[in-house]
Amino acid sequence: MHLLANLTIPGPARPCPAPRDGVNDAPALKKAQIGIAMGLGGSDVAREAADIVLLDDDFSSVVVAIEEGRVIYDNLKKTIAYSLTHSIPEVFPIFLNLAFSFPLGLSGLLLLTIDLITEQGPAISMAYEPAESNVMERRPRNTAIERLVDTPLLVYSYLMAGVSMSWICLLSYFVVYSVHHVAITDVLFANDYDYFMAKAEHNADLLSCRVRRNGEEECITYTGEQQLDIWFQSGAAWYLTLVLCQGWNIYLCKTRRASLFTHGPFTNMVTTYGLLISIATVIIVIYVPVLDSYFMARPTTVLAWLPQFIFPTILLPYTEWVKYLARSAPSCWVARHLAW
């Protein structure tokens, strides 16, 4: 029972594997934190008592299994972090519509195409993401506090990426109204005054005025059909910005600790194929004429495609900074509270 004595030494808890294969080793296998038995040469009693059975009797298989388990855990967290992000910019236009009577930024069918089509490919592709270079250099995970969904992950998905994406979508949305010389004050509480309603005949004529650079006031009257066209364009702007920002986000979520530039953005081509499907869906929904009445989206200004570039400009330096601190100073406040 010498092995049992070693396994019960008081002190800090740490994983302690005990590889045995005989009948008399069953108590040791039970007492060990991780009991390992041989699948080919071990006894039935040892295999029953063990936590792990090596089918090929090769102890190096444990290392391979640990690495694979860490990769699976990492990829699950990456998928969750990516998938949670889009919920904030999806809810935000509904909030603006209910609270401030903004014309609805996303129709119900646009939401469904995001949840059922454009999000699926990139999210599924995370299952094929290869291991990060430092995955076996990390300390064993503390299962008491390190969970798949924890506070740092929610902070990133909801507060950092989700809120940033929402404001960028709103900017793209306002770009459309600005291009058509509709003042933001005319968008605020627009539905309360029967502007930008779902049917053109229900829209009251909108008189929008603005002051030009020379100080003269310019007023334009928008009919119900013109308002409908502008509204559909603004919905398309919000939609394409959300999908494209998520396209950037999937690359930011490809690593948890390693730098994206070290890991390589194109190590997983399944992600690229998933993004191509997402972009193709956006183009079909917006630019196929017969679909506009169903999705409430029409071809929009080229300027509406530009705000999406703000997302990687802000989030890429932030994520790289957090990952760097998680690698170099894992005990610092940023690494403990922001590195997911």
Side-chain angles (χ1 to χ4, degrees):
M1 301 300 289
H2 179 64
L3 179 61
L4 283 177
N6 286 340
L7 291 174
T8 55
I9 294 176
R14 64 186 67 183
C16 182
R20 312 297 289 176
D21 59 4
V23 174
N24 295 328
D25 294 316
L29 291 169
K30 277 291 187 181
K31 189 69 175 178
Q33 290 175 303
I34 305 173
I36 303 173
M38 304 302 170
L40 297 177
S43 65
D44 292 338
V45 175
R47 286 195 293 268
E48 287 291 330
D51 299 295
I52 299 175
V53 177
L54 300 179
L55 297 180
D56 56 1
D57 285 6
D58 185 355
F59 196 73
S60 63
S61 299
V62 175
V63 179
V64 177
I66 292 173
E67 181 178 8
E68 187 66 22
R70 291 187 175 189
V71 172
I72 292 172
Y73 176 82
D74 272 5
N75 290 349
L76 283 172
K77 282 191 77 85
K78 295 170 186 177
T79 303
I80 295 170
Y82 166 79
S83 299
L84 289 179
T85 301
H86 76 276
S87 60
I88 301 298
E90 282 186 346
V91 172
F92 194 44
I94 299 174
F95 165 76
L96 293 176
N97 177 256
L98 295 176
F100 303 104
S101 292
F102 275 40
L104 189 61
L106 284 175
S107 68
L109 282 181
L110 288 179
L111 285 172
L112 285 177
T113 61
I114 293 172
D115 294 334
L116 301 180
I117 301 177
T118 64
E119 286 291 297
Q120 298 305 310
I124 293 172
S125 73
M126 277 298 165
Y128 302 91
E129 191 65 33
E132 297 177 32
S133 58
N134 63 347
V135 68
M136 292 301 289
E137 298 173 7
R138 304 176 196 168
R139 302 179 68 177
R141 180 170 59 92
N142 186 345
T143 56
I145 59 175
E146 296 182 54
R147 306 299 179 92
L148 271 176
V149 180
D150 52 16
T151 301
L153 185 144
L154 295 177
V155 167
Y156 172 79
S157 296
Y158 287 145
L159 295 183
M160 298 304 302
V163 171
S164 299
M165 197 178 297
S166 297
W167 287 108
I168 294 170
C169 288
L170 182 63
L171 174 62
S172 183
Y173 172 88
F174 279 141
V175 163
V176 174
Y177 289 99
S178 178
V179 166
H180 290 281
H181 307 299
V182 178
I184 295 178
T185 53
D186 292 324
V187 178
L188 185 64
F189 300 111
N191 286 167
D192 288 346
Y193 296 100
D194 294 332
Y195 301 142
F196 304 105
M197 304 298 286
K199 292 186 178 180
E201 60 270 19
H202 294 165
N203 285 319
D205 287 346
L206 170 64
L207 180 63
S208 182
C209 298
R210 65 183 182 118
V211 178
R212 305 180 66 178
R213 291 183 179 179
N214 58 10
E216 296 180 358
E217 187 177 49
E218 179 185 30
C219 295
I220 304 174
T221 300
Y222 295 95
T223 64
E225 185 57 46
Q226 289 174 323
Q227 293 175 47
L228 198 67
D229 182 58
I230 296 171
W231 178 30
F232 283 9
Q233 289 186 45
S234 68
W238 194 298
Y239 173 65
L240 69 87
T241 304
L242 195 160
V243 174
L244 294 177
C245 283
Q246 276 292 76
W248 293 110
N249 190 37
I250 193 67
Y251 286 104
L252 301 181
C253 294
K254 284 173 75 71
T255 60
R256 295 182 56 229
R257 294 294 181 270
S259 169
L260 174 63
F261 303 102
T262 303
H263 183 74
F266 303 109
T267 52
N268 180 8
M269 290 306 296
V270 181
T271 300
T272 304
Y273 302 143
L275 289 177
L276 291 176
I277 293 173
S278 299
I279 295 172
T281 302
V282 169
I283 293 173
I284 291 171
V285 167
I286 295 177
Y287 291 97
V288 174
V290 296
L291 299 178
D292 62 347
S293 60
Y294 299 101
F295 291 99
M296 298 184 178
R298 289 178 182 172
T300 188
T301 173
V302 176
L303 295 177
W305 290 76
L306 300 181
Q308 50 130 342
F309 293 107
I310 300 175
F311 187 81
T313 303
I314 298 173
L315 269 296
L316 180 59
Y318 166 78
T319 55
E320 287 296 312
W321 174 64
V322 171
K323 292 171 187 177
Y324 170 76
L325 291 179
R327 295 191 306 270
S328 60
S331 60
C332 73
W333 188 92
V334 171
R336 289 185 288 108
H337 293 89
L338 298 181
W340 52 270

